[in-house]
Amino acid sequence: MTQEPADMVEAPQPDGHDESVRDSIARLYADGRAYAEAEVERQKRRAGIAAAGVRDAALLGAAALMLSFGVVVAVLVGLILSLAPALGPLGATGAVLGGTLLAVLILLLLAKARIGRMKRAMKP
C-alpha cells in the first residue's frame, strides 16, 4: 500500500463544472419562460377567436329573432285579412287576438310548470 503525498490529492475543480450546470439551468429557465410566453399568446389568440365567434353568433341570433317577430306579425295580419270576409274586420281582429292570447297563456303555464319542476329537482 502506497500512500499518496498530500500534494497529490486531487483538489476540486475551480467552478468549471458548476458554470456549465449554471448555464444549463439558465438556458432551461429561458426556454421555460419563452414557452410560457408563447402559451399565453396562444391562449389569448384562442380567447379572441372564441369571443369573435360568440359575438357573431349573438348578432346572427338577434337578426333571426327580429325576423321571426316579423313573421309572427305577418301571420297574424294574414289571419285577420283572411278571416275579415267571414267575421268582419273587428270580428277577425278579436278572433286572432283571442287565439293569440290563449296561446300566450298556455305557453306561460308550461313555463311555470317547468320552473316548478326544476325547483323541486334542485331541493336537497
Side-chain angles (χ1 to χ4, degrees):
M1 289 198 191
T2 55
Q3 254 184 335
E4 294 182 9
D7 58 299
M8 297 292 284
V9 175
E10 231 176 276
Q13 296 290 329
D15 294 338
H17 184 61
D18 289 342
E19 281 187 38
S20 66
V21 170
R22 285 185 188 146
D23 289 344
S24 295
I25 291 173
R27 191 171 45 253
L28 178 65
Y29 174 77
D31 289 348
R33 187 173 181 89
Y35 174 77
E37 289 172 358
E39 186 65 22
V40 165
E41 287 301 316
R42 178 177 173 265
Q43 294 302 331
K44 283 181 184 178
R45 210 171 306 127
R46 285 183 68 204
I49 291 169
V54 168
R55 182 198 66 221
D56 292 346
L59 289 172
L60 293 171
L65 188 62
M66 289 189 318
L67 286 174
S68 66
F69 282 135
V71 167
V72 169
V73 169
V75 166
L76 294 176
V77 169
L79 279 172
I80 291 171
L81 291 177
S82 65
L83 291 175
L87 301 175
L90 289 177
T93 302
V96 170
L97 179 66
T100 304
L101 289 177
L102 181 64
V104 167
L105 180 65
I106 290 171
L107 290 172
L108 287 175
L109 289 173
L110 287 172
K112 181 182 175 189
R114 292 280 174 125
I115 290 172
R117 188 175 1 161
M118 179 190 65
K119 283 182 179 179
R120 284 190 303 275
M122 292 179 72
K123 282 187 180 178

